[in-house]
Amino acid sequence: MYMAGYGKLIGYVEISKSGDVFHDFFRHKPHEMVAISPGKVHDCELHEGERGAVGSVITWHYTEGGKKRTAKQIIESVNEENHTIVFKVIGGEPDVEKLHKSFKIIFHVEPKGEGQVVTWTFEFEKVDPSVPYETNLMDYLCNLIKDLDAHNKAAIISESILWTWILIEFGFGGQ
C-alpha cells in the first residue's frame, strides 16, 4: 500500500526588476504574457471573479515541451507585502487529478543581496510513487520568468533611449 507522497519542488530565478513588477504582472496582468512570450503562453482566461482576486478561477493555455497544455487554477491567497501568490491547480491537460491528490504553485519574489529572486514552489501529493516530479513544468516557469525579465530589461533600455533622445532634441542634454 502506497503512503501519501507529499512533496515540494523549488526553483529560483534572479531578476533585474523589483518584486512589485513581477507580482503585479502575475496577479493583475497575466493575459499580457501572450504578447511577451507568444511561443510559451497563448491565453490566460478568467472564468470567475476579478483578475488577481482571491477565489478567482483562471485557465492558462500554454506550450510546454512542444505540447499544448492547460492549467485551471484558483487564486488561493495573495500577500502584497511579501509578493506572494498561491495558485491551487484544479484541472487542466495533462489531467492533474489523475496524477496528484493536490497540487499548489506558489509564486514569490524576494530581495537577494543587491537584486531580487523569483521563487516557484510546487507543493503536492502524488497519487502513487510512479508519478514523476514536475521538473519540466518547473523549468518552463523559470524560463518564462527569464523571458519576462529580458522583456522588462529591453523596455527599460528603450525608454531610456527615448528620454535621452527627447532631452537632446529639445536642448536639455549636456552641451
Side-chain angles (χ1 to χ4, degrees):
M1 185 81 178
Y2 176 67
M3 298 302 287
Y6 292 98
K8 190 180 274 195
L9 184 63
I10 302 172
Y12 303 94
V13 180
E14 291 186 17
I15 57 172
S16 61
K17 286 292 249 182
S18 75
D20 298 9
V21 172
F22 277 81
H23 181 264
D24 185 59
F25 200 65
F26 273 90
R27 182 167 181 206
H28 298 290
K29 304 175 193 172
H31 54 287
E32 292 183 14
M33 284 186 234
V34 175
I36 295 169
S37 195
K40 290 184 177 138
V41 180
H42 310 296
D43 194 10
C44 183
E45 196 176 351
L46 177 66
H47 296 285
E48 295 176 30
E50 295 178 29
R51 285 208 189 275
V54 172
S56 295
V57 178
I58 56 175
T59 297
W60 294 90
H61 297 266
Y62 62 101
T63 297
E64 179 258 315
K67 297 178 183 171
K68 292 207 177 210
R69 304 196 181 272
T70 60
K72 191 171 187 179
Q73 305 169 343
I74 295 175
I75 298 177
E76 196 168 81
S77 68
V78 174
N79 185 319
E80 290 289 337
E81 187 176 318
N82 293 325
H83 305 259
T84 303
I85 307 169
V86 178
F87 301 95
K88 179 180 179 183
V89 180
I90 58 171
E93 179 60 40
D95 194 353
V96 175
E97 291 85 27
K98 289 182 181 175
L99 302 173
H100 300 91
K101 292 180 182 177
S102 64
F103 197 92
K104 289 184 184 182
I105 299 174
I106 302 164
F107 171 84
H108 177 71
V109 184
E110 62 188 316
K112 181 183 177 193
E114 299 282 321
Q116 302 274 319
V117 65
V118 169
T119 304
W120 287 108
T121 304
F122 298 166
E123 293 180 352
F124 51 86
E125 181 181 3
K126 298 187 206 182
V127 294
D128 70 57
S130 68
V131 173
Y133 289 95
E134 297 288 344
T135 55
N136 289 341
L137 180 59
M138 180 62 76
D139 289 343
Y140 169 85
L141 290 173
C142 289
N143 286 324
L144 180 61
I145 291 295
K146 291 175 186 176
D147 288 354
L148 298 174
D149 194 40
H151 173 79
N152 284 331
K153 285 180 189 175
I156 289 170
I157 291 168
S158 295
E159 186 176 300
S160 175
I161 291 169
L162 174 65
W163 279 110
T164 301
W165 178 84
I166 289 171
L167 292 174
I168 291 170
E169 182 71 18
F170 292 100
F172 296 110
Q175 295 182 20

